[in-house]
């Protein structure tokens, strides 16, 4: 039912734009601001590091692009901070250098992009007595999270290739010692970079 309602709403938006002659130059962006558990893992809410909490849909319709790009799917990692830069770029405006995100316009066009992000920093710092704070990094292959207000803290390391459902915590696995050290360092590096930009 949820997918049907999204499709039906999308159709109404397109029909309204067409009725006003705006359907050939209006870009539509659909996304959610966060994931949600809906009972997965026995959780409600959206405050942990697992994919159900982090991953969201993103659909961009640019009628100015050719038919060959319609329905195209990309596996590049995109973030919600990419949207302001994308909107300005699609409107033909300059993207301020202080923006952390990257324009997705080249991705939408299907341009050859030699370098794209290979990881990103994520954190949840809301002050709530029942919701733990955490920080971490996600790469294409690994996800690391450090919950840091529970005594000694808790670490999670997931191999997203071997275990895409994130059912095993590999933080204590000696076979992943080097990967764990790498994502620990990368988390600290990205956290400090974000803090200095604030």
């Amino acid at each position: 039912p949820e997918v049907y309602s999204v499709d039906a709403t999308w159709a109404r938006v397109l029909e309204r734009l067409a009725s006003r002659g705006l359907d050939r130059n209006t870009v539509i962006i659909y996304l959610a601001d966060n994931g949600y558990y809906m009972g997965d893992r026995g959780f409600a809410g959206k405050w942990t590091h697992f994919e159900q909490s982090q991953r969201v849909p993103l659909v961009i319709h640019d009628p100015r692009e050719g038919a060959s790009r319609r329905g195209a799917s990309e596996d590049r990692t995109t973030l919600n901070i990419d949207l302001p830069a994308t909107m300005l770029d699609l409107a033909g405006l300059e993207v301020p250098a202080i923006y952390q995100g990257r324009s997705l316009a080249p991705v939408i066009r299907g341009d050859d992009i030699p370098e794209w992000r290979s990881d990103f920093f994520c954190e949840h710092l809301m002050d709530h007595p029942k919701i733990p704070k955490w920080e971490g990094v996600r790469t294409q292959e690994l996800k690391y999270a450090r919950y840091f207000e529970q005594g000694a803290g808790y670490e999670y390391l997931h191999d997203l290739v071997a275990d895409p459902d994130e059912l095993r915590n590999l933080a204590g696995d000696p076979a992943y010692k080097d990967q764990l050290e790498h994502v620990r360092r990368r988390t600290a590096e990205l956290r400090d970079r974000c803090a200095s930009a604030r």
Side-chain angles (χ1 to χ4, degrees):
E2 291 83 7
V3 173
Y4 173 79
S5 66
V6 170
D7 286 347
T9 302
W10 192 283
R12 287 197 306 273
V13 170
L14 290 172
E15 288 168 8
R16 181 62 61 91
L17 289 171
S19 72
R20 297 181 179 195
L22 300 172
D23 56 318
R24 294 184 180 167
N25 67 351
T26 300
V27 177
I28 303 171
I29 300 175
Y30 170 83
L31 77 155
D33 63 340
N34 53 258
Y36 207 82
Y37 280 106
M38 304 292 288
D40 291 322
R41 300 177 181 272
F43 292 162
K46 56 194 176 187
W47 299 286
T48 72
H49 70 277
F50 295 111
E51 287 291 276
Q52 292 95 332
S53 182
Q54 290 189 320
R55 199 173 180 93
V56 298
L58 171 62
V59 179
I60 301 177
H61 168 72
D62 188 343
R64 302 168 298 181
E65 292 301 319
S68 65
R69 293 299 298 159
R70 291 183 193 145
S73 179
E74 294 285 342
D75 62 359
R76 289 182 179 88
T77 299
T78 59
L79 305 174
N80 56 4
I81 61 172
D82 294 329
L83 293 177
T86 301
M87 289 184 266
L88 289 177
D89 196 5
L90 291 173
L93 301 172
E94 185 176 342
V95 177
I98 62 168
Y99 279 19
Q100 291 182 6
R102 294 183 62 178
S103 172
L104 302 176
V107 177
I108 296 166
R109 291 190 300 263
D111 293 349
D112 182 31
I113 306 169
E115 292 184 16
W116 194 255
R117 70 172 53 91
S118 57
D119 62 12
F120 65 90
F121 174 73
C122 40
E123 63 185 357
H124 187 272
L125 303 178
M126 182 176 79
D127 269 323
H128 190 286
K130 294 185 179 179
I131 300 174
K133 295 179 181 177
W134 64 274
E135 62 189 9
V137 69
R138 187 193 194 282
T139 73
Q140 293 294 100
E141 298 84 23
L142 297 171
K143 185 187 290 180
Y144 170 74
R146 181 176 77 91
Y147 290 77
F148 53 84
E149 287 191 339
Q150 298 75 40
Y154 295 89
E155 287 184 301
Y156 289 85
L157 179 68
H158 301 288
D159 183 330
L160 299 174
V161 177
D163 179 28
D165 294 324
E166 301 168 294
L167 298 177
R168 294 180 312 168
N169 181 6
L170 302 169
D173 188 331
Y176 283 82
K177 179 183 177 185
D178 291 343
Q179 291 98 320
L180 179 62
E181 288 301 322
H182 170 74
V183 291
R184 280 175 175 165
R185 288 192 304 271
R186 186 64 173 152
T187 296
E189 175 189 344
L190 292 174
R191 179 197 60 218
D192 294 347
R193 186 186 303 171
C194 290
S196 67
R198 290 181 180 142

